[in-house]
Structures are given as C-alpha cells and as structure tokens.
Amino acid sequence: MSAEQAGLTITEMGEFDRPWAIKHIPGSDILAITEKAGSLKLLNTEDGKVIEVTGLPEVAYGGQGGLGDVAFLKSEYEQTDDRTIFLSWAEAGEGETRGAVVGRGTLACENATDSCAIVDLEVIWRQAPMVEGRGHYSHRIRFSPDEQYMFVASGDRQKLTPAQDLSNTLGTIVRLNLDGSPADGNPFADRGGVTAEIWSYGHRNILGMDWDAQGRLWDIEHGPGGGDELNLVEREANYGWPTRSYGNHYNGDPIADHSEDDGFVKPAITWTPVIAPGDMIFYTGEMFGDWNGDALIAGLRSEALIRVEIDGDEAREAGRYEVGGRLRSIAQTPDGVIWVAEDGEDGRVLKITM
C-alpha cells in the first residue's frame, strides 16, 4: 500500500548527491549523511540547515564503491563539540584492485555544528584481500549493544567462492575491537591473521545490520536473481553462499536451494521477486507503537519501506509501504521519527511521521 494509505506523513527535508548512509548523532538534532562520491553533510532536523564536513578521505568512487557508512558511539551522548566518528569507504589498491576499509577519527565542530571537520582520521580495518571490480563492498558498521565491539559487513565483492574460504574476509561479518583489532572470543581466533576477525561467513552482499530487543544481531542481504535474505547472525555460522541460495545466478544458471541437512544456517525469510534491500533497523520508538520491535527495511528496487515482524527465530513480512523512490538508508531519531534517504543524484532525505 502507499504511505498515505497507511496513514504515514512524508516530509521532504532536502536533496543530496547519491546519499548512502544516514545516522543520528547521539545527543543532538543532527543527522549525518554520507554521499557516495566522498562528501559528508550534517542535516539539522529542527531547522533544515545543512553544512558540509571537511577532512574526508579520498575514496575509490565508481560502481557500488565510494563513501559508505558513518557511525557514532551512544556512550558519547553528552559530547556536543568533539566526538569519535567511524566511516567506511572503498579504497584503491595496487593496479585495479579495491577494497572496503573502516576509519576512525574525531568529528570536531565549532559552536555545535556551525563548522565541522574530521581530524586524525586513521584506517583501522581493511577488507582482505583487495580485488578487482567495483561491487559488493557491503561495509555497514554496527556496534554491539554495550559498544565494546564493532561488527562490519564485508561483502563477497562478486567473487563468490571466497565466501566459503576462511583465509580471507570476503563474504563475512567481522567482529572487532573499537581500534580495529580482532576481538577476543571470535570463533577462529586461534588461526590468527584476518581469519581471527571473522564472526560469520557464507554471506553475499550485506546492506544492513541491527540488533533486536533481545540483543541478537540480524542482517539483510542481497540475493542473486531472487533470494534476498533476512538472517539471524550467529557466531561461527555459515550462511551458504555461493553453494546454497534461494535465487539463481543473473545469467539464469541455477544454485541449489537450501536443504534441511546441508549444514548451512537458513534465512529467517527470503524474497523472490527481490526487494533489493538498502539498509535496515529495528524500530524502538513510540510514534509507530504497533511497530515497536519490528525490523524496518529500506527497499531499493521495491521502492518501499518493508516491515517485518519477528517471532523467535522466524520472521514474516507484515507491511509494505510505497514511498515513491529507491530507498538506500534508514534511521530513527529518539522522538520515534523514521528517516529514509533515496538513492541517486538527487536523492531526497524524507521524514516519516504518523
């Protein structure tokens, strides 16, 4: 159904150049918005003022690559001027190779947000190995609920088989300390190297991750030709890509469906035709009271906000609300308002209220 039919009010708050991520800055009225070509802008949700942040890294822009996610620590809620900022982006390597990286720095602002710059930005994690191509970086960032660990989605870079090879981090979710080092307790820590970073594997292209009310991590993942997935992410789990999928290769070549005895963790829900997920959150506000605890997925091809109800380890689509554009990212502010960013050159940031 349309957003209007569902009783949702959509308010346009500005247009941005290929926005990729939107994130609320704790303790403020500000949304941080990354633009894929390499810019970071701050939107004041009260007055609509936008400022551009300086000090951004050089990014390998093209295809699905460029500036990616942005993240902040809620434990720095009281800070109003200087706070830690985490960014992900596509970085150029030797020859035609590229890879996702995560950097950590300080967002330093004068007079709240009159002028802001990122200082002392340092790369703390690199996807391994760098490979040719410009797709499936994933590079979403989420912190554990206690903010002791950082989880980073590391896409398969359209190389497929490395997702089943634990000697690299393509097609994985990695679990790191906040300085980018492998976290204690990771399932393959005793193997050392990049293998020690891996939390789960057998993933394809993860575009969203978030924690439910019980402290469980979920991801939303692009399938190939069909078979988009919502997964409950578990330690040491193998999700089967590219050996098993509920979709087929883009050229029509079949991929075996999951079977009960295949040894892989099965998705909680799949979509064929695809929704082409761009991002996801678990809603925790009061404005949309019936949605509390539901997963909200920003849909690209579906051009809709997808609502999924969770019951234990199972999930079902409970609502689909057409917003009118390809939705790349989603965020929630403490007042319960939902924010989405559209994909594309003139991607709108939209405020969704009831």
Side-chain angles (χ1 to χ4, degrees), residues 252-309:
D253 289 348
I255 306 171
D257 286 349
H258 281 282
S259 61
E260 290 301 319
D261 60 350
D262 63 16
F264 301 118
V265 176
K266 316 305 187 284
I269 186 174
T270 67
W271 287 269
T272 303
V274 299
I275 58 172
D279 193 6
M280 70 166 284
I281 62 170
F282 277 96
Y283 186 73
T284 59
E286 296 182 0
M287 181 173 292
F288 304 84
D290 293 342
W291 294 7
N292 201 294
D294 292 351
L296 301 181
I297 300 165
L300 290 161
R301 183 172 177 178
S302 51
E303 298 188 351
L305 183 66
I306 314 292
R307 181 169 65 90
V308 175
E309 292 181 346

Side-chain angles (χ1 to χ4, degrees), residues 173 199-200 203 216-219 231-235 237 239:
I173 293 175
W199 184 253
S200 61
H203 299 285
R216 303 180 300 174
L217 182 64
W218 297 74
D219 80 30
N231 291 302
L232 176 58
V233 179
E234 300 173 311
R235 180 184 185 275
Y239 291 84

Side-chain angles (χ1 to χ4, degrees), residues 3-21:
E4 290 76 13
Q5 289 172 330
L8 309 183
T9 299
I10 310 294
T11 305
E12 182 178 334
M13 296 296 290
E15 293 184 352
F16 297 82
D17 182 18
R18 297 178 179 86
W20 202 89

Side-chain angles (χ1 to χ4, degrees), residues 320-341:
R320 185 176 297 206
Y321 314 101
E322 299 166 0
V323 176
R326 289 168 51 85
L327 303 185
R328 168 60 67 184
S329 189
I330 183 168
Q332 178 197 320
T333 41
D335 55 6
V337 173
I338 297 166
W339 299 80
V340 294

